[in-house]
Amino acid sequence: MQRSAPRLSRILACAAVPVMFVAAGCSSGSDSGDKGSGAPDKGASSSAAAPQPTQSTKKVEPAKFAKLPEICKSVSSKTVESLVPKVKNKNGTEATSSDAASRGGCSWNGLEDKGTKGSQYRWLDVSFYRYESDATLGSGQERATESYAKELAKVQATAGAKKLKTTQTTGVGEQADTVTYQLRKTDEDFQYASVVARAGNVVVLLSYNGAGYAGADTPSDKTISDGALKAAKEAIAAVEAANK
């Protein structure tokens, strides 16, 4: 049975609000050298003892990328419009970030009403995490690799996910995995694809999902995963372009 316009309006109203990125404290190690103090030999004339050498600072590999791209321009308007028909805001909705130099996100959503053929809903979002090199915490690349593993694990642990599959992906940064699954929401089956990718000291998390309403078919696994990969490649390329 075809659902009413108010029903479709509620679908868009239920779209997730932009993620708030709160910068994790990037502590920097402070090297405090041990200062030696020696007493003069008994019977010798008073003289200042030579100071002990200070502890050397651990050297780490410099971070590969110094900045992030313009977040909502990291995926082209052409790609956004092809992946999200009838997109509400083609410029995207940028997530609030307390440290825009280190993290940020942007999302797009839209509902295409096809009348008696039902409706198609799509959601696309991208998040960036950039890590500095730190003598205490490690190089930016090492820290990004650790973050990559954690973000992938989070996606793989999505509550309620069905038919979840993880595929190693080539051609997207230095390492990438694509996770596909189905999730039941608003009484409909949603098809999801999340791409977790890393380029140097930057981790990119891109998610794309969709559902059919009012009798329309759920988009296929291939349609959603292909779309996610296309957008993820553009996001990675945007990082590289921003640092040239």
Side-chain angles (χ1 to χ4, degrees):
M1 181 173 67
Q2 185 174 350
R3 306 192 180 178
S4 62
R7 167 63 172 157
L8 298 181
S9 298
R10 287 198 298 273
I11 295 168
L12 288 179
C14 291
V17 297
V19 174
M20 177 176 289
F21 289 88
V22 179
C26 296
S27 61
S28 58
S30 59
D31 295 312
S32 56
D34 293 331
K35 294 183 178 180
S37 59
D41 291 339
K42 187 176 181 180
S45 60
S46 176
S47 61
Q52 297 293 326
T54 58
Q55 183 180 2
S56 61
T57 302
K58 177 184 177 181
K59 292 184 178 180
V60 296
E61 179 185 7
K64 183 176 182 179
F65 297 117
K67 60 182 179 179
L68 294 176
E70 291 185 63
I71 306 298
C72 288
K73 291 184 179 180
S74 62
V75 180
S76 69
S77 296
K78 182 179 179 181
T79 295
V80 168
E81 291 177 359
S82 69
L83 299 182
V84 188
K86 302 297 181 182
V87 59
K88 288 175 63 178
N89 178 7
K90 66 180 181 180
N91 294 321
T93 301
E94 189 165 355
T96 302
S97 174
S98 60
D99 185 2
S102 297
R103 61 201 65 214
C106 192
S107 63
W108 301 261
N109 69 85
L111 180 71
E112 183 179 25
D113 189 348
K114 296 185 176 182
T116 58
K117 295 183 179 180
S119 303
Q120 287 290 335
Y121 176 76
R122 297 290 187 274
W123 172 280
L124 173 70
D125 68 69
V126 61
S127 303
F128 293 83
Y129 304 88
R130 188 183 67 83
Y131 297 88
E132 291 283 4
S133 292
D134 184 280
T136 302
L137 302 176
S139 71
Q141 287 70 240
E142 291 171 335
R143 298 178 66 196
T145 299
E146 293 175 358
S147 173
Y148 173 94
K150 292 178 181 178
E151 292 299 329
L152 178 59
K154 287 179 185 178
V155 177
Q156 293 171 325
T158 299
K162 298 179 180 179
K163 299 181 180 179
L164 189 147
K165 179 177 64 176
T166 302
T167 306
Q168 287 189 339
T169 306
T170 59
V172 188
E174 294 170 33
Q175 63 179 139
D177 281 276
T178 301
V179 183
T180 59
Y181 57 94
Q182 290 182 354
L183 198 61
R184 185 78 174 175
K185 297 194 308 180
T186 60
D187 297 325
E188 302 292 348
D189 291 319
F190 278 69
Q191 183 67 48
Y192 276 77
S194 292
V195 180
V196 183
R198 181 184 66 83
N201 58 314
V202 175
V203 174
V204 174
L205 176 59
L206 188 136
S207 180
Y208 180 46
N209 67 76
Y213 282 90
D217 293 334
T218 301
S220 68
D221 179 319
K222 187 177 187 307
T223 295
I224 296 299
S225 59
D226 284 353
L229 282 171
K230 178 178 176 61
K233 288 178 181 179
E234 291 188 9
I236 288 290
V239 174
E240 296 169 346
N243 286 273
K244 286 184 178 180

